[in-house]
Amino acid sequence: MTHPVTNPTAPSALPSEVLHYTAFSTDPAGGNRAGVVLDASALDDAEMVAIAAELGYSESAFVTPAPQADDARTFRLRFFSPKAEVDFCGHATVATAVALGEQLGAGDYTFLTNAGPVPITVTASGEGLRATLTSVPPQVYDVAPDDVAEALAALDWLPGELDAALPPRISYAGVRHLVLAAATRERLADLDYDFDRLLTLMRALDLTTVQLVWRASETVFHVRDPFPVGGVVEDAATGAAAAAFGAYARELGLVPEQATLTLHQGHDMGSPSLLEVTLREGEPGVRVTGAAVRV
């Protein structure tokens, strides 16, 4: 299904309809879906959010030529949830990069987002195209005990169900996420939260998602991401939160300065996703890699 978008004033070689991709999966039945408009030049903000709302995906991406860019592979990229614009979205970035790779070829791209420039590398593999984004420089913040208590109350989690080795923090790698670590896989799997109560807290703390994690091994984690601020109960794959979590793990010394983390997401939703997070010594940004396929 496509949604035609005409653009009479700015002819382009790129498609102007809404393309449908799922990111962080090579299986169309898995991953997190995103709409991608490769030529959104004729759309205003209201039309973009209306398209995102009609699609109903957690986010959709809208591409326009980058102003005053000398590089033909530099684009302005904006993201909209069904409710509002989002400064940065990882899964829609990966979906857009793969869509552009299919049109223009593998290689390096730059996306100019509201959070800042995001370099992208698209590579070919035996299972199709993969994209690696490098986040803007991340930051990790302490979180007030009262805010943690309110988040746990909204989630219906008990303080004793947290993993003390992974303390709560707010982490930013384009947008802000509250990281909470469950002590058991069973606790993570049982997610039934108070949507409005968590939404209120997230708005107060300027959060995009809550990154719920369970550590399976030194570098393997299972994650879930409630996203009520976008009008979505849960994200099936969240690249922005994956980047923020990589920054969190590095800041707290949970992993080496140079490491590759594997994040499994979406399994409890029936939409398995695989996210690879790479930390490089001396590189402030966090790399997130995943596949994307058209659906």
Side-chain angles (χ1 to χ4, degrees), residues 32 49 52-60 79-89 91 175-177 193 195-196 198-200 202-203 206-210 225-235 238:
N32 196 7
V49 75
E54 181 181 351
L55 293 172
Y57 301 143
S58 56
E59 282 104 352
S60 292
F79 311 97
F80 287 82
S81 78
K83 293 289 187 181
E85 186 168 14
V86 177
D87 284 343
F88 179 65
C89 170
H91 86 274
V175 286
R176 287 160 55 94
H177 308 266
Y193 69 92
F195 187 95
D196 292 333
L198 190 59
L199 171 62
T200 298
M202 291 176 68
R203 284 177 172 166
D206 190 27
L207 302 175
T208 295
T209 75
V210 177
D225 280 81
F227 185 36
V229 295
V232 176
V233 173
E234 183 179 356
D235 243 355
T238 318

Side-chain angles (χ1 to χ4, degrees), residues 52-108:
E54 181 181 351
L55 293 172
Y57 301 143
S58 56
E59 282 104 352
S60 292
F62 298 83
V63 182
T64 56
Q68 301 177 342
D70 296 329
D71 184 356
R73 291 193 172 200
T74 297
F75 298 92
R76 176 80 168 101
L77 185 58
R78 297 174 69 187
F79 311 97
F80 287 82
S81 78
K83 293 289 187 181
E85 186 168 14
V86 177
D87 284 343
F88 179 65
C89 170
H91 86 274
T93 294
V94 167
T96 302
V98 168
L100 285 169
E102 290 173 350
Q103 298 292 323
L104 304 177
D108 294 333

Side-chain angles (χ1 to χ4, degrees), residues 4-248:
V5 178
T6 59
N7 183 4
T9 61
S12 170
L14 295 172
S16 57
E17 73 270 15
V18 176
L19 308 176
H20 299 251
Y21 282 80
T22 192
F24 296 111
S25 176
T26 57
D27 182 350
N32 196 7
R33 295 194 174 195
V36 178
V37 178
L38 291 181
D39 181 10
S41 302
L43 298 174
D44 61 24
D45 289 11
E47 290 170 321
M48 285 188 273
V49 75
I51 290 171
E54 181 181 351
L55 293 172
Y57 301 143
S58 56
E59 282 104 352
S60 292
F62 298 83
V63 182
T64 56
Q68 301 177 342
D70 296 329
D71 184 356
R73 291 193 172 200
T74 297
F75 298 92
R76 176 80 168 101
L77 185 58
R78 297 174 69 187
F79 311 97
F80 287 82
S81 78
K83 293 289 187 181
E85 186 168 14
V86 177
D87 284 343
F88 179 65
C89 170
H91 86 274
T93 294
V94 167
T96 302
V98 168
L100 285 169
E102 290 173 350
Q103 298 292 323
L104 304 177
D108 294 333
Y109 294 82
T110 300
F111 293 157
L112 305 181
T113 75
N114 288 352
V118 176
I120 305 288
T121 300
V122 178
T123 57
S125 73
E127 295 183 302
L129 295 180
R130 288 162 53 88
T132 297
L133 66 88
T134 301
S135 77
V136 300
Q139 301 176 59
V140 179
Y141 307 93
D142 290 337
V143 55
D146 287 350
D147 291 329
V148 174
E150 178 61 16
L152 294 178
L155 293 167
D156 197 23
W157 286 19
L158 298 173
E161 294 177 308
L162 294 179
D163 184 344
L166 281 72
R169 293 289 190 274
I170 290 174
S171 189
Y172 167 90
V175 286
R176 287 160 55 94
H177 308 266
L178 173 61
V179 180
L180 296 174
T184 65
R185 182 67 179 90
E186 291 73 20
R187 173 66 281 178
L188 184 69
D190 185 13
L191 181 62
D192 182 14
Y193 69 92
D194 186 326
F195 187 95
D196 292 333
R197 187 169 183 176
L198 190 59
L199 171 62
T200 298
L201 176 66
M202 291 176 68
R203 284 177 172 166
L205 299 179
D206 190 27
L207 302 175
T208 295
T209 75
V210 177
Q211 174 84 328
L212 305 174
V213 308
W214 173 71
R215 190 172 197 170
S217 69
E218 182 180 6
T219 59
V220 177
F221 299 83
H222 289 255
V223 301
R224 303 185 73 172
D225 280 81
F227 185 36
V229 295
V232 176
V233 173
E234 183 179 356
D235 243 355
T238 318
F245 181 72
Y248 161 94

